[in-house]
Amino acid sequence: MTTEATVTPEPTRAADEHEGGDKSSLITEDQRRALAETRDRIRAEFLYSRENRPRSTGRGIHHCALICADVRTTVDWYQNIAGFPVTVLFENRDLAGSTHFFFDVGAGNHLAFFDLPGVEPGPYQEVLGGLHHLCISVSEEHWHQIKDRLDERGADYMLESGTSIYCTDPDGARIEFIHDPLGRMYGHDTM
């Protein structure tokens, strides 16, 4: 299938750039301009207008699987803080004694975990191919409830752009709760 790419204007500064913090100074302005030019070339080559975009072959995220140190702690956090009900627990086929379990995160999607009895996976690390963060859309009402439950437990978190809560789960994975609806982020369409 051959279709022409439509160049979409560069997003606004707030949506496209890291605002503040140490990461904003890791590269020079010349490097930043070169990266912006590369991004523009990729956009021109691969980003099609909604009308010309090929249909996805996917049907949705069946599940995203993460590793946890303790099943009970993870179930407590995701069910009682995030508000995602655990839907099933069974033995993981890959490791005897390991528990594989799933949470309903809405829209037919699930977040799954398994523990690794006898294996010391080590602490969370930001590495290539690893999880940077998982962003889950929730209603504004539930967003405030999650914030209140984090406050009740004295958990650290960061509020961003008036719609996002960034925190870490019990194993250090970065989780973002956003009350922008699916398909929108900080005033921009993502679909």
Side-chain angles (χ1 to χ4, degrees):
M1 171 192 278
T2 305
T3 55
E4 291 186 16
T6 302
V7 176
T8 303
E10 184 74 19
T12 62
R13 180 185 176 315
D16 194 43
E17 296 174 10
H18 177 75
E19 295 198 21
D22 296 334
K23 291 186 179 181
S24 63
S25 62
L26 294 177
I27 59 173
T28 66
E29 281 302 313
D30 286 342
Q31 290 170 319
R32 187 175 179 188
R33 275 190 290 280
L35 291 168
E37 290 169 8
T38 299
R39 193 168 40 251
D40 289 342
R41 285 192 300 275
I42 294 168
R43 185 181 297 110
E45 183 177 355
F46 293 106
L47 184 63
Y48 298 97
S49 67
R50 180 175 266 171
E51 302 80 37
N52 294 321
R53 188 178 308 146
R55 281 184 68 118
S56 174
T57 59
R59 298 185 303 182
I61 303 295
H62 186 281
H63 70 275
C64 174
L66 304 176
I67 296 170
C68 72
D70 182 76
V71 174
R72 187 188 187 294
T73 301
T74 302
V75 169
D76 175 54
W77 197 89
Y78 280 92
Q79 185 161 282
N80 296 327
I81 291 180
F84 306 145
V86 66
T87 60
V88 66
L89 294 96
F90 55 87
E91 187 174 51
N92 181 6
R93 70 171 184 254
D94 300 325
L95 182 63
S98 172
T99 302
H100 199 24
F101 53 107
F102 291 71
F103 297 95
D104 180 354
V105 295
N109 298 289
H110 289 84
L111 180 58
F113 285 86
F114 52 87
D115 61 344
L116 300 171
V119 176
E120 181 55 52
Y124 168 84
Q125 292 185 51
E126 188 173 284
V127 296
L128 289 177
L131 175 72
H132 183 271
H133 74 276
L134 179 65
C135 180
I136 302 172
S137 178
V138 297
S139 71
E140 187 170 357
E141 175 187 0
H142 288 110
W143 186 90
H144 287 285
Q145 291 172 3
I146 291 167
K147 181 183 172 300
D148 291 344
R149 289 190 291 263
L150 289 167
D151 285 337
E152 287 168 9
R153 293 194 183 198
D156 291 330
Y157 60 86
M158 181 182 80
L159 301 178
E160 181 64 42
S161 302
T163 62
S164 291
I165 299 170
Y166 287 90
C167 59
T168 57
D169 80 357
D171 294 299
R174 291 186 193 117
I175 307 297
E176 176 184 2
F177 299 106
I178 188 168
H179 69 71
D180 285 339
L182 293 172
R184 298 282 297 163
M185 184 169 181
Y186 307 148
H188 295 274
D189 284 327
T190 61
M191 295 177 51

